[in-house]
Amino acid sequence: MDALPPDVRTELVMAAAAFDGHGVTTHRFRSAEPLDALLARVRDRWRADGRPIVESRTGAWRLLSVRDAQGFTTMQVRASVDGSEGMVSRWRAAPITAELVPFTEGRVLDRWLPDGSEVLRRVAHRDPGRDAATVVARVPSSPEQAARTLRTRAANEGFVDDPALGAPANRAAWFRGGSGSGEALAFRRGREEVVATVSSHRDGAAVVLHWGHAR
């Protein structure tokens, strides 16, 4: 991570992710340096590269961002008991991992949505041993109708119901269906799984689809 001095300990949190078509890589870090000292080193590093810095503060967190030709980098950091800690995210203009493009573009999960749905957000990422994607949509039908459509289209894709996968959500009363409130659905196909939540929304329903695949 070029945002941090080379002696700072980092841990990869999210690699090859894509948010609405923008590639993202995120690292968590800890440093023995006090907050102000670490911030000064980061500022010096970025200014030496001729990159203007945008700074802000949110509670205990300090945020620094810089932009270059490929995208931008944001660091959020706060004081810790033994120095400082935070996260660095690198955003690029295009998805990083070609394998996830079908999910970031919605060619897979969008097929499950009822006709006339409006996709509000797409997220995809590759973690160690697992690929994942999420689609958030607004649906112009009731929660019951949306759930029926999801079940039908999941079956058409070769997925089967997996009650165990959806068990945590099913403990919440409104996720059990009925009375127009909404429900949670869970499906599996081999090493792939999809958990969907359907909830009542103004003039229709809100649908969130979480897809995961163990590698």
Side-chain angles (χ1 to χ4, degrees), residues 108-152:
V108 175
L109 292 177
D110 281 21
R111 292 201 300 262
W112 292 36
L113 295 170
D115 297 340
S117 297
E118 178 188 0
V119 175
L120 305 177
R121 173 58 54 90
R122 294 188 181 94
V123 180
H125 55 96
R126 166 160 284 187
D127 298 324
R130 181 179 177 83
D131 295 333
T134 300
V135 167
V136 181
R138 185 164 45 224
V139 177
S141 60
S142 68
E144 293 89 349
Q145 291 173 319
R148 284 196 297 270
T149 299
L150 291 174
R151 287 192 177 94
T152 298

Side-chain angles (χ1 to χ4, degrees), residues 2-211:
D2 66 352
L4 295 169
D7 58 336
V8 174
R9 303 188 306 275
T10 64
E11 174 189 359
L12 182 64
V13 175
M14 187 168 57
F19 289 79
D20 295 333
H22 296 275
V24 185
T25 301
T26 301
H27 288 76
R28 180 185 298 116
F29 68 86
R30 290 183 178 277
S31 173
E33 283 193 275
L35 176 61
D36 289 339
L38 179 63
L39 287 171
R41 293 182 67 186
V42 171
R43 290 191 196 96
D44 289 345
R45 191 178 182 89
W46 279 341
R47 286 170 179 159
D49 294 335
R51 293 185 279 183
I53 303 170
V54 176
E55 294 193 45
S56 61
R57 184 193 297 265
T58 302
W61 292 97
R62 305 283 291 277
L63 285 79
L64 280 71
S65 296
V66 293
R67 178 182 289 275
D68 58 31
Q70 288 74 44
F72 61 92
T73 301
T74 297
M75 185 183 80
Q76 58 184 65
V77 58
R78 65 182 178 185
S80 65
V81 294
D82 56 355
S84 51
E85 62 184 5
M87 300 182 74
V88 176
S89 295
R90 175 70 172 139
W91 295 69
R92 296 183 180 276
I96 298 173
T97 304
E99 293 91 332
L100 292 181
V101 168
F103 297 95
T104 62
E105 293 182 352
R107 293 201 300 266
V108 175
L109 292 177
D110 281 21
R111 292 201 300 262
W112 292 36
L113 295 170
D115 297 340
S117 297
E118 178 188 0
V119 175
L120 305 177
R121 173 58 54 90
R122 294 188 181 94
V123 180
H125 55 96
R126 166 160 284 187
D127 298 324
R130 181 179 177 83
D131 295 333
T134 300
V135 167
V136 181
R138 185 164 45 224
V139 177
S141 60
S142 68
E144 293 89 349
Q145 291 173 319
R148 284 196 297 270
T149 299
L150 291 174
R151 287 192 177 94
T152 298
R153 296 185 176 179
N156 291 341
E157 297 276 348
F159 284 78
V160 298
D161 287 330
D162 188 343
L165 182 62
N170 283 327
R171 286 198 289 268
W174 77 271
F175 276 129
R176 293 172 186 161
S179 303
S181 57
E183 59 186 298
L185 310 170
F187 310 98
R188 186 178 297 279
R189 183 181 66 183
R191 291 185 296 171
E192 292 181 88
E193 58 189 40
V194 174
V195 174
T197 59
V198 183
S199 58
S200 180
H201 190 276
R202 185 182 58 196
D203 299 325
V207 173
V208 180
L209 291 167
H210 298 286
W211 168 87

